[in-house]
Amino acid sequence: LLPSKIDNAQPLLTQFDPSDYANFEEAYHVLVGALAALQVRALTLAVGSKSPQQVLLSGGFSKNQLFLEVLASNLSVPLCIS
């Protein structure tokens, strides 16, 4: 797993204000990117020094195309979506 820009994700989520962005789309992309970065951080902590073959993703975010694209671009293993 490759962490990418995860150090700035937590402060962004605790201080997120949509009015800081030019429009809804920009705010949404920043928010989803921060959520994906936190997921990468959680996965990195969970697997430790192990090298998983794939990551299984289920639930509501498995239907969010933007989240999937951002998450996949920050992982070195394939996503398996259920």
Side-chain angles (χ1 to χ4, degrees):
L1 300 174
L2 300 173
S4 176
K5 299 183 181 179
I6 57 175
D7 295 334
N8 296 327
Q10 185 65 38
L12 174 63
L13 290 177
T14 59
Q15 302 167 7
F16 183 76
D17 183 358
S19 66
D20 290 341
Y21 302 94
N23 54 48
F24 170 81
E25 290 79 15
E26 182 183 356
Y28 178 72
H29 279 76
V30 169
L31 181 60
V32 171
L35 290 171
L38 287 174
Q39 184 62 55
V40 170
R41 174 82 170 134
L43 289 167
T44 302
L45 291 172
V47 300
S49 62
K50 299 176 185 171
S51 295
Q53 300 278 327
Q54 62 186 1
V55 172
L56 175 63
L57 183 65
S58 64
F61 276 101
S62 67
K63 296 172 181 64
N64 185 309
Q65 191 61 39
L66 177 60
F67 180 80
L68 294 174
E69 289 174 13
V70 174
L71 187 60
S73 71
N74 286 285
L75 295 173
S76 61
V77 297
L79 287 175
C80 179
I81 301 160
S82 67

